[in-house]
């Protein structure tokens, strides 16, 4: 009897725990496959310490292959699930596609940044859901402090040293707390102008910090933040983001170069494509974490709406604690459904309390309902994290010890740039790279279930200013939520271009084939012309005929850079028939005498015995010459094919095409600007 096939999508808290429990339960009696974009499990609660330079990045990552025996790891992202055919289609890290068949499927894809319809946020804010975003924030904050220390303008110095965090939940509170300590330590080495210090702002529409947690924890965290110098503003959020700062909902404009978006998360868009019953973007499951009517399909973690049996009518919140426990129950029920374990169990939880690390010896915790603050809370918080981590405990403890006795290393590594970590992405765990393969098409961040819901913006606080989404409205081209956007590499804010804008350099044309993540151009030597020139395919011909393919906005002429190699050129088709292996050319030894050569047929029409050539004495004037019909693409002539209805003028310094001008590529004057904007 063949072993059953179990596929798990996602290796977050829920997916990792599911895979580990199934590996121990089945003991090789089932094929277990784990599909994940990265080869590690990320311990998210310690991510703010990575951004603040307390922990090295690899400390919060746990190798999947090292810690999950008998589990096959497949790198990739799920694109489509065929529920009836019980197959899953995915895209690998290098763009290759693949298919996985399953007998049981566990969806644990996790969550992504929740983007609300606030102008400018998608362009100028960065999230905090993955390791690349944490690395970018650490570099960006370090750079801003160093630039501020060298700035002569006090306004520029103040703007660079102002850091705005939106969302006073678990993540936003820790980011602001650790960030203030991090920048204060930096300015000791890079003193700012007299009387100035780094300023961190924490905004949220909720009435208090940590609104989803116990009020005593909230009071403790608020007190520590204010004592440290964080500007905490409750009932306030961002109304608009600009390159120079943010407009708050109370009308104040704050000059800043840093906007960290921690308003919350929404389930991975993958589950929306299944067409199954949903609850606020989450897949509805029964208490056994099984999708009703689909005995082969299970869901857990942030993508699953799991009934809270202790609170009828409600669902368990999207927290790491619940996801971790979901994974264990899901694994046991999957094994039971295959006859490889005991009886099925419903999911029940008992609240063990929460911990919030505020940096240094400061923390807020309520283990087993006992409120703690100060050093005892700090000890409990770090002890809890060491116990909860599935690996790297010694390394994490060593980094904490070194941070207590040694100064932090505040340097820019420059590994992740601004355009690599866009806010509106369905893969926050992956940084975009130039020339990388296209991943799953980005879902609209401003429409669809789970994007901007009134309950999300008013219940529990998200830091959002408005809850009026644009559900059902097609986003503008080139903006988040439209078709796949492509980011141009640079040092600052990404220049996003839609497929239409990338196509041959002009909107509405065929997509270019020489931009990153697309098919490489076939040139310059040995291939067809690259279809990425402005204006698309050009008119055919040169002066005296249709416009040449080597003119600006046209398809490169054969034999020119970027075009199909001319015959008789290196890399091209052997053209001259007098080349080795080819038929001798006319007029060459051994070949047919060429026209106009001794012994040959009179070739040129302007030679004695031949018809007069156009533009020659006695012949019909050529088009474009005095006395002749104006050539297409010449002044007074018919516009060349594929040209926008008017005669294109050559760029400055370029001679106009004519009979005396040697054919060749024309200098481009409309090349897209690749200059990068500054980081924001």
């Amino acid at each position: 009897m063949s072993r059953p096939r179990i596929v798990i999508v996602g290796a977050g808290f829920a997916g990792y725990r599911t895979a580990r429990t199934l590996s121990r339960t089945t003991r090789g009696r089932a094929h277990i496959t784990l599909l994940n974009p990265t080869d590690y499990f990320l311990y998210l609660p310690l991510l703010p310490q990575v951004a603040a330079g307390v922990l090295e990045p690899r400390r919060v990552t746990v190798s999947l292959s090292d810690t999950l025996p008998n589990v096959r790891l497949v790198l990739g992202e799920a694109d489509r699930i065929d529920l009836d055919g019980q197959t899953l289609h995915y895209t690998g890290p290098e763009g290759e596609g693949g298919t996985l068949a399953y007998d049981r499927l566990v969806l644990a894809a996790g969550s992504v940044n929740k983007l609300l319809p606030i102008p400018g946020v998608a362009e100028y804010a960065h999230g905090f859901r993955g390791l690349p975003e944490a690395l970018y924030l650490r570099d960006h904050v370090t750079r801003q402090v160093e630039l501020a220390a060298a700035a002569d303008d006090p306004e520029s110095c103040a703007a660079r040293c102002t850091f705005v965090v939106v969302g006073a939940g678990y993540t936003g509170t820790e980011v602001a707390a650790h960030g203030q300590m991090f920048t204060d330590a930096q300015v000791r080495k890079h003193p700012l102008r007299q009387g100035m210090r780094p300023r961190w702002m924490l905004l949220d529409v909720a009435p208090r910090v940590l609104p989803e947690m116990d009020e005593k924890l909230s009071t403790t965290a608020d007190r520590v933040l204010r004592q440290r110098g964080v500007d905490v503003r409750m009932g306030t959020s961002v109304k608009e983001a600009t390159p120079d700062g943010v407009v708050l909902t109370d009308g104040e404009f704050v000059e800043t170069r840093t906007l960290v978006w921690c308003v919350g998360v929404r389930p991975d868009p993958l589950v929306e494509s299944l067409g199954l019953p949903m609850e606020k973007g989450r897949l509805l499951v029964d208490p056994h974490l099984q999708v009703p009517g689909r005995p082969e399909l299970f869901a857990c973690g942030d993508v699953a709406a799991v009934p809270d049996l202790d609170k009828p009518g409600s669902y368990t919140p999207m927290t790491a604690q619940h996801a971790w426990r979901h994974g264990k129950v899901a694994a046991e029920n999957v094994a039971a459904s295959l006859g490889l374990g005991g009886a099925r169990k419903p999911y029940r939880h008992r609240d063990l309390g929460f911990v919030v690390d505020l940096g240094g010896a400061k923390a807020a915790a309520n283990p087993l309902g006992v409120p703690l603050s100060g050093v005892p809370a700090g000890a409990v918080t770090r002890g809890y994290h060491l116990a909860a981590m599935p690996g790297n405990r010694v390394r994490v403890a060593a980094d904490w010890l070194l941070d207590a006795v040694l100064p932090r290393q505040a340097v820019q590594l420059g590994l992740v740039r601004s355009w690599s970590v866009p806010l509106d992405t369905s893969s926050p765990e992956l940084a975009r790279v130039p020339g990388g393969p296209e991943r799953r098409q980005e879902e609209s961040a401003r429409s669809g279930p789970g994007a901007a819901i009134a309950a999300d913006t008013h219940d529990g606080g998200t830091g959002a200013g408005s809850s009026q989404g644009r559900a059902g409205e097609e986003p503008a081209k080139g903006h988040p939520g439209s078709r796949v956007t492509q980011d141009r590499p640079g040092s600052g804010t990404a220049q996003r271009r839609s497929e239409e804008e990338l196509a041959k350099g002009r909107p509405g044309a065929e997509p270019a084939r020489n931009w990153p993540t697309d098919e490489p151009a076939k040139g310059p030597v040995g291939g067809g012309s690259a279809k990425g020139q402005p204006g698309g395919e050009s008119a055919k011909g040169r002066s005296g005929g249709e416009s040449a393919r080597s003119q600006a906005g046209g398809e490169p002429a054969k034999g020119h850079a970027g075009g199909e190699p001319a015959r008789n050129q290196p890399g091209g088709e052997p053209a001259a028939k007098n080349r080795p292996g080819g038929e001798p050319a006319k007029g060459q030894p051994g070949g047919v005498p060429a026209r106009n050569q001794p012994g040959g047929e009179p070739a040129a029409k302007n030679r004695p015995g031949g018809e007069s050539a156009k533009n020659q004495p006695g012949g019909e004037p050529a088009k474009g010459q005095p006395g002749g019909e104006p050539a297409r693409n010449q002044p007074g002539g018919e516009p060349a094919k594929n040209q926008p209805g008017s005669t294109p003028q050559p760029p400055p310094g370029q001679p106009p095409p004519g009979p005396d001008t040697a054919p060749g590529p024309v200098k481009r004057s409309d090349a897209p600007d690749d200059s990068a904007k500054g980081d924001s």
Side-chain angles (χ1 to χ4, degrees), residues 577-672:
K577 296 184 179 180
N578 62 334
R579 298 299 182 187
E583 181 181 345
K586 297 179 181 180
Q588 299 297 330
V592 179
R595 299 180 181 181
N596 201 29
Q597 297 295 330
E601 179 184 357
K605 295 184 178 181
N606 63 336
R607 299 297 182 185
E611 182 181 353
S612 306
K614 298 180 181 180
N615 203 28
Q616 296 296 330
E620 181 183 354
K623 296 182 181 180
Q625 297 299 325
E629 180 184 353
R632 297 181 184 178
N633 203 27
Q634 295 297 328
E638 180 184 352
K641 296 182 180 179
N642 284 335
Q643 296 298 328
S646 60
T647 303
Q649 298 298 326
Q654 181 70 31
D660 298 329
T661 303
V666 177
K667 179 181 178 182
R668 291 180 57 186
S669 61
D670 57 346

Side-chain angles (χ1 to χ4, degrees), residues 67 77 131 140 214 304-305 324 329 367 375 445 510 552 564 648 672:
T67 57
E77 294 183 89
L131 195 57
H140 175 76
D214 183 78
W324 187 252
V329 175
V375 176
E510 180 183 353
E564 181 180 340

Side-chain angles (χ1 to χ4, degrees), residues 22-224:
L22 275 172
S23 175
R24 296 174 178 176
T25 302
T26 60
R27 297 182 179 181
R29 293 176 293 172
H31 286 288
I32 305 173
T33 301
L34 179 61
L35 178 68
N36 197 58
T38 64
D39 63 349
Y40 59 81
F41 159 74
L42 176 64
Y43 190 74
L44 271 171
L46 294 181
L47 206 56
Q49 298 191 30
V50 174
V54 178
L55 297 176
E56 288 302 308
R58 285 187 296 176
R59 304 294 186 258
V60 299
T61 61
V62 178
S63 172
L64 298 178
S65 57
D66 289 347
T67 57
L68 296 177
N70 302 320
V71 175
R72 174 194 175 204
L73 173 63
V74 175
L75 294 178
E77 294 183 89
D79 295 324
R80 182 172 57 88
I81 299 174
D82 182 359
L83 296 176
D84 296 329
Q86 295 191 184
T87 55
L88 181 148
H89 303 271
Y90 69 93
T91 301
E94 295 183 350
E96 71 282 7
T99 302
L100 297 173
Y102 61 85
D103 297 306
R104 295 292 184 273
L105 176 64
V106 182
L107 293 178
S111 55
V112 299
N113 293 308
K114 180 166 61 180
L115 181 62
L116 300 175
I118 300 176
V121 166
E123 291 79 10
Y124 304 112
H126 290 281
F128 203 80
R129 288 292 300 164
L131 195 57
E133 293 170 322
L135 293 176
Y136 166 75
L137 183 61
R138 184 170 71 174
D139 273 6
H140 175 76
V141 169
T142 302
R143 178 166 58 254
Q144 295 306 311
V145 172
E146 292 172 349
L147 292 174
D152 296 328
D153 181 15
E155 293 183 359
S156 175
C157 179
R160 292 189 180 279
C161 278
T162 299
F163 308 94
V164 179
V165 180
V166 185
Y170 185 93
T171 302
T173 299
E174 288 197 342
V175 168
H178 282 277
Q180 186 72 65
M181 290 187 64
F182 182 46
T183 53
D184 284 346
Q186 280 186 271
V187 297
R188 298 190 189 105
K189 302 176 183 178
H190 303 280
L192 302 179
R193 299 175 64 88
Q194 186 174 4
M196 299 184 67
R197 63 167 295 191
R199 175 194 182 194
W200 284 77
M201 297 182 65
L202 181 62
L203 313 176
D204 203 308
V205 295
R208 59 185 176 90
V209 175
L210 301 174
E212 69 276 12
M213 297 186 183
D214 183 78
E215 189 171 353
K216 293 183 179 179
L217 284 180
S218 174
T219 303
T220 299
D222 186 273
R223 182 178 67 251
V224 171

